[in-house]
Amino acid sequence: MWRKYTGGVTEKLPPCPECSSEYAYEMGALLVCPECGHEWSPSAEAAAGGGADEGVIRDSVGNVLADGDTVTVVKTLKVKGHPTGIKAGTKVRNIRLNPGGPDGHDIDCKVDGFGAMQLKSSVVKKA
């Protein structure tokens, strides 16, 4: 189990929100999971843990998302039935938030060349 040393006090880092691995480590301002490769912001993790903004949907770096925002896909996504996936850097305009979406897919949108689909907020960044 990795721990963060902060000047005389050792604090335990939170587990990975994707795979629950306890071996997360810090890399700059982000926390990284060595098992699944997921990266997340510790401030977004603390905000997602509860509090006043429990119903707020945040992107992969912790920015608050709203209906009508434009987002950019941060990693290449495989799409069933298409030989190529959605490439990293693809802009998606006019998103609609859906907090109760299936399997964590909390964004409804239309992607050029693919049509209507649902995305997870953890794979997009506010543009």
Side-chain angles (χ1 to χ4, degrees), residues 15-23 33 35-36:
C16 175
E18 292 290 314
C19 69
S20 301
S21 170
E22 60 183 26
Y23 300 111
C33 176
E35 293 184 6
C36 69

Side-chain angles (χ1 to χ4, degrees), residues 37-56:
H38 179 66
E39 297 179 355
W40 72 100
S41 171
S43 61
E45 178 70 24
D53 45 287
E54 196 169 298
V56 174

Side-chain angles (χ1 to χ4, degrees), residues 79 82 86 92 108-119:
V79 178
H82 281 272
I86 300 172
V92 180
D108 292 329
C109 60
K110 285 185 181 177
V111 179
D112 291 338
F114 293 92
M117 62 177 37
Q118 295 179 330
L119 298 173

Side-chain angles (χ1 to χ4, degrees), residues 2-16:
W2 297 93
R3 296 183 186 273
K4 177 181 177 184
Y5 180 75
T6 56
V9 177
T10 303
E11 90 182 39
K12 182 179 174 188
L13 293 174
C16 175

Side-chain angles (χ1 to χ4, degrees), residues 42-95:
S43 61
E45 178 70 24
D53 45 287
E54 196 169 298
V56 174
I57 296 176
R58 297 181 180 268
D59 66 2
S60 62
V61 294
N63 298 322
V64 176
L65 296 174
D67 286 342
D69 280 347
T70 298
V71 295
T72 304
V73 177
V74 295
K75 69 179 194 176
T76 302
L77 305 172
K78 294 180 184 176
V79 178
K80 232 179 199 179
H82 281 272
T84 62
I86 300 172
K87 296 189 186 280
T90 302
K91 282 197 175 188
V92 180
R93 292 174 175 78
N94 199 18
I95 64 170

